């Protein structure tokens, strides 16, 4: 673990999510993201280049699924799903947790990545509806036309809009690579500047789970 990563939850996480769940959230978020990457790698062990694109795809379903599995049982958690959709989200104590793959290197912090540049349609729409006022940056990549994605995003955002009071958006960002697994995990909250640009109002690096060491194969000798 890097020396700048806190062992226990930061004051911000305790303040946002409450003492009852802050400690669990601190370790479960990186465990969920690590499990998602491991599942993808184990399912397609020989497709490294393809998996790099999968990990960066905002519609990759496993991070959403694992965050729901790891966080959905915490006190105050509410699971938001819509039928036949890759998206499922968990809302904890007024905060909707949204996964985002921001890179493939442990050397780069989410703090150093331009906010919103590689967000998918779901993250952008959640910020538009429930985040701070902001304007589209010229550096922001345009999204491809995708009627299925637009429909799924509209449905899950409509479900979240029924929650009172209006939830805030927290980004569960991560860096990962198929041959290295989870390299970095973060929790961050977004604010907007006076000119409408997005920036991080707070960001925490989370402790990574210990690597899984494969068991040695038992040698078999002929009788």
């Amino acid at each position: 673990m890097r020396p700048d990563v806190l062992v226990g939850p930061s004051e911000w996480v305790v303040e946002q999510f409450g003492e009852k769940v802050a400690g669990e959230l601190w370790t479960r978020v990186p465990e969920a993201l690590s499990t998602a990457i491991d599942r993808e790698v184990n399912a397609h062990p020989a497709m490294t280049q393809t998996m790099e694109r999968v990990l960066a795809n905002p519609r990759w379903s496993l991070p959403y699924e694992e965050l729901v599995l790891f966080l959905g049982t915490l006190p105050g958690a509410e699971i938001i799903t819509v039928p036949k959709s890759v998206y499922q989200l968990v809302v904890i104590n007024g905060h909707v947790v949204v996964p985002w793959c921001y890179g493939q290197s442990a050397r780069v912090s989410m703090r150093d990545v331009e906010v919103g540049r590689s967000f998918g349609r779901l993250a952008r729409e959640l910020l538009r509806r429930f985040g701070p006022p902001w304007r589209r940056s010229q550096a922001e990549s345009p999204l491809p036309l995708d009627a299925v994605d637009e429909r799924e995003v509209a449905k899950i955002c409509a479900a979240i809009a029924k929650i009172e009071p209006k939830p805030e958006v927290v980004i569960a960002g991560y860096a990962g690579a198929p041959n290295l697994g989870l390299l970095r995990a973060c929790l961050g909250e977004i604010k907007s500047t006076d000119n409408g640009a997005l920036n991080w109002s707070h960001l925490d690096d989370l402790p990574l789970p210990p690597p899984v060491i494969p068991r040695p194969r038992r040698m078999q000798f002929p009788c």
Side-chain angles (χ1 to χ4, degrees), residues 63-110:
Y64 301 97
E65 180 180 329
E66 292 298 337
L67 283 172
V68 164
L69 289 174
F70 274 82
L71 306 181
T73 57
L74 293 176
E78 181 178 356
I79 298 171
I80 308 297
T81 62
V82 292
K84 299 180 180 179
S85 171
V86 299
Y87 300 124
Q88 48 185 311
L89 295 170
V90 58
V91 180
I92 305 178
N93 294 340
H95 295 78
V96 54
V97 182
V98 185
W100 175 45
C101 179
Y102 71 84
Q104 298 180 348
S105 171
R107 295 188 297 271
V108 179
S109 170
M110 189 167 76

Side-chain angles (χ1 to χ4, degrees), residues 144-163:
L145 296 176
D146 189 330
V148 173
D149 194 34
E150 291 180 8
R151 183 167 58 249
E152 292 182 10
V153 166
K155 287 182 178 179
I156 198 163
C157 286
I160 295 174
K162 297 177 182 178
I163 299 175

Side-chain angles (χ1 to χ4, degrees), residues 43-62:
H44 308 94
M47 300 174 63
T48 301
Q49 291 184 342
T50 302
M51 277 191 289
E52 289 177 353
R53 293 193 295 270
V54 170
L55 266 60
N57 186 347
R59 281 183 58 80
W60 179 37
S61 63
L62 293 187

Side-chain angles (χ1 to χ4, degrees), residues 29-56:
V29 167
E31 288 174 353
L33 298 173
S34 177
T35 301
I37 296 175
D38 290 344
R39 282 181 59 188
E40 186 68 33
V41 170
N42 291 332
H44 308 94
M47 300 174 63
T48 301
Q49 291 184 342
T50 302
M51 277 191 289
E52 289 177 353
R53 293 193 295 270
V54 170
L55 266 60

